[in-house]
Amino acid sequence: MLKLFKTILKAGEPTVKYPFAPLEISPDFRGRPELNSQQCIACAACTSACPANALTMETHPEENERTWQLFIGRCIFCGRCEEVCPTKAIRLTNDFELAVTNKADLYVKAVFRLQHCKVCKQPYTPEKSAQYAVELLRQSGVSDEALAGMKSQFSTCPACKRQQTVGLHDQRMFSLSNAEASHE
Ligand code: SF4
Ligand code: SF4
């Protein structure tokens, strides 16, 4: 009997006191993903990378908004969203206590406004994505004057830009053929 007590004492406490005491978590533990909506630019990189479709993004042009949504019930805590996020807006926390009494509490949503094209007036990108692109150029050394000159480009949708480029190309070809004809 004494030998048994000695063995038990030597082994120490093999179990943890959780939930009556906090559980010690590894710093690399991957728990509940958390979004910082201030930092998020609604670029959709995380929703494309999420292998479990826990992250989704929907665009509603008629309501002028794009909705980002996380459904914790599908999350497999792989960390891909954190890896691909360009602004570090999403990160995995140490939170592992995910039980809820209401299914709606498993959803996290964020809504972003869309920017409208100055030519066709249609929404084409989240406002924050457009602002982020301008900020990246500024940080890469483009001057404020040059950025002001590019303002028109930043507020034109890709389809209208293509049309403008084709129009310019056609004009140039027309002028060239006119110039050639006048030399003949
Ligand atoms: S941790 Fe993985 S599964 Fe969960 S939301 Fe991020 S990418 Fe999706
Ligand atoms: S990748 Fe980052 S910035 Fe882009 S939508 Fe996801 S959380 Fe937002």
Side-chain angles (χ1 to χ4, degrees):
M1 192 64 161
L2 190 65
K3 196 176 168 194
L4 176 63
F5 276 129
K6 273 186 182 169
T7 309
I8 291 170
L9 279 175
K10 203 170 158 193
E13 273 190 14
T15 56
V16 292
K17 288 196 165 44
Y18 179 83
F20 304 106
L23 190 64
E24 203 176 308
I25 303 285
S26 153
D28 295 330
F29 182 83
R30 297 198 301 243
R32 176 199 300 273
E34 190 176 71
L35 178 77
N36 178 340
S37 58
Q38 295 297 313
Q39 262 171 250
C40 179
I41 55 168
C43 67
C46 57
T47 58
S48 301
C50 178
N53 283 337
L55 289 170
T56 49
M57 194 161 261
E58 285 179 5
T59 304
H60 303 285
E62 64 289 350
E63 283 152 32
N64 190 33
E65 59 186 37
R66 178 176 277 188
T67 309
W68 178 99
Q69 179 173 273
L70 163 66
F71 175 44
I72 306 270
R74 288 192 71 97
C75 180
I76 55 171
F77 311 100
C78 63
R80 281 293 290 143
C81 49
E82 184 177 310
E83 283 170 21
V84 301
C85 179
T87 62
K88 301 194 186 310
I90 189 163
R91 63 177 196 97
L92 268 58
T93 65
N94 283 346
D95 185 10
F96 62 92
E97 294 171 316
L98 307 177
V100 291
T101 50
N102 184 352
K103 190 180 170 189
D105 295 338
L106 292 173
Y107 290 87
V108 180
K109 273 189 190 178
V111 178
F112 301 90
R113 282 167 51 83
L114 298 173
Q115 178 154 314
H116 289 71
C117 171
K118 77 178 179 80
V119 180
C120 66
K121 313 292 180 215
Q122 293 301 308
Y124 67 100
T125 192
E127 281 181 352
K128 289 179 81 177
S129 287
Q131 288 160 7
Y132 182 69
V134 174
E135 199 46 47
L136 279 184
L137 285 172
R138 182 174 286 121
Q139 282 176 19
S140 68
V142 179
S143 68
D144 284 346
E145 292 82 29
L147 285 173
M150 294 158 132
K151 199 176 170 197
S152 162
Q153 285 186 43
F154 290 127
S155 47
T156 307
C157 73
C160 289
K161 267 188 214 155
R162 260 195 307 278
Q163 271 188 358
Q164 288 173 347
T165 311
V166 170
L168 277 174
H169 178 260
D170 286 353
Q171 268 179 19
R172 227 170 269 147
M173 293 305 286
F174 183 69
S175 322
L176 270 175
S177 60
N178 271 356
E180 278 170 10
S182 64
H183 285 301
E184 282 170 8

